[in-house]
Amino acid sequence: MTATEETQDVPWGDVTPDAARRLMVAAVEAFAERGYHATTTRDIAGRAGMSPAALYIHYKTKEELLHKISTLGHTKAVNILASAADADGTAAERLAQAVRSFVIWHAGHHTTARVVQYELDALDAEHRAEVVQLRRQCDAAVRRILDDGVKSGEFEVPDIPGATLAVLSLCIDVARWFNVQGRRTPDEVGASYADLVLRMVGARPRS
């Protein structure tokens, strides 16, 4: 994880005290590099410059730490997509904003996003259900934009649930392949994906 990713626009910027935040940042780094199951509490504490016992002062278990990371990350996702869905403008404008912002976040914070999006099955049943509910809110925000676009005649989408899944999957997958050493910036990828999604839904000017 880069220093920029750690400090700018990350969902745990307000986590206190500092030790709890450092452990969360260390856990994200370790989970992304080794996977949740291969990571030990000793790994996390060591990356944070603490003793293993210090971790348990702030988090009862490794799973609780993942739950906190996942909840904060998915809340950020909901806020990004709901903000676009609630914005002024045409359905096409709102869909472009949703995709662009969602992709930029997944590219700019790809280490964090990989943990948030791909370690869901490591959560216990209760915590997984909480995160699934947040994912449903993401789905609902995108589905609302698509539904508005179909009703206004801007989009041609015969299968709105399927299109919603396709849009979200396309955006989320950016976290898996994005490379900060690559040729394109997060903003460039966001703009490209927004254009791609508009073409995918057959966007056209509202009459």
Side-chain angles (χ1 to χ4, degrees):
M1 181 185 305
T2 66
T4 297
E5 182 173 349
E6 177 183 333
T7 57
Q8 294 184 3
D9 196 31
V10 289
W12 43 84
D14 295 329
V15 172
T16 57
D18 177 69
R21 183 170 57 254
R22 285 165 51 201
L23 285 164
M24 191 170 290
V25 170
V28 168
E29 186 179 63
F31 294 157
E33 180 180 314
R34 300 169 56 88
Y36 173 81
H37 292 293
T39 298
T40 66
T41 54
R42 184 176 295 276
D43 293 331
I44 296 169
R47 287 173 185 262
M50 302 179 193
S51 68
L55 185 147
Y56 296 107
I57 295 174
H58 304 284
Y59 304 101
K60 294 179 182 178
T61 64
K62 181 178 71 168
E63 192 274 342
E64 180 182 317
L65 185 49
L66 176 63
H67 173 237
K68 184 71 170 178
I69 292 166
S70 190
T71 299
L72 290 172
H74 279 88
T75 298
K76 178 66 177 180
V78 170
N79 290 341
I80 289 171
L81 295 172
S83 177
D86 294 336
D88 295 331
T90 66
E93 290 168 342
R94 289 184 287 136
L95 182 60
Q97 178 183 333
V99 171
R100 185 167 52 249
S101 299
F102 206 42
V103 166
I104 287 172
W105 196 83
H106 278 78
H109 304 285
H110 53 95
T111 303
T112 299
R114 282 202 304 274
V115 175
V116 169
Q117 298 291 359
Y118 294 114
E119 292 287 1
L120 179 64
D121 289 340
L123 296 171
D124 67 29
E126 181 179 354
H127 287 162
R128 189 180 190 281
E130 291 177 15
V131 174
V132 165
Q133 183 57 40
L134 291 171
R135 291 171 82 98
R136 287 175 179 160
Q137 292 180 44
C138 291
D139 182 280
V142 174
R143 189 177 299 202
R144 179 152 54 93
I145 299 173
L146 294 177
D147 188 55
D148 288 347
V150 170
K151 289 177 179 177
S152 68
E154 294 174 69
F155 301 158
E156 291 186 19
V157 182
D159 178 6
I160 290 179
T164 299
L165 177 61
V167 170
L168 288 171
S169 297
L170 192 68
C171 296
I172 289 169
D173 194 55
V174 170
R176 183 184 57 78
W177 61 259
F178 186 81
N179 183 348
V180 293
Q181 304 301 325
R183 293 177 298 173
R184 294 190 291 176
T185 67
D187 285 352
E188 289 171 338
V189 177
S192 176
Y193 271 50
D195 181 68
L196 177 63
V197 167
L198 289 178
R199 292 173 184 272
M200 186 174 74
V201 300
R204 57 193 177 190
R206 184 168 54 180
S207 58

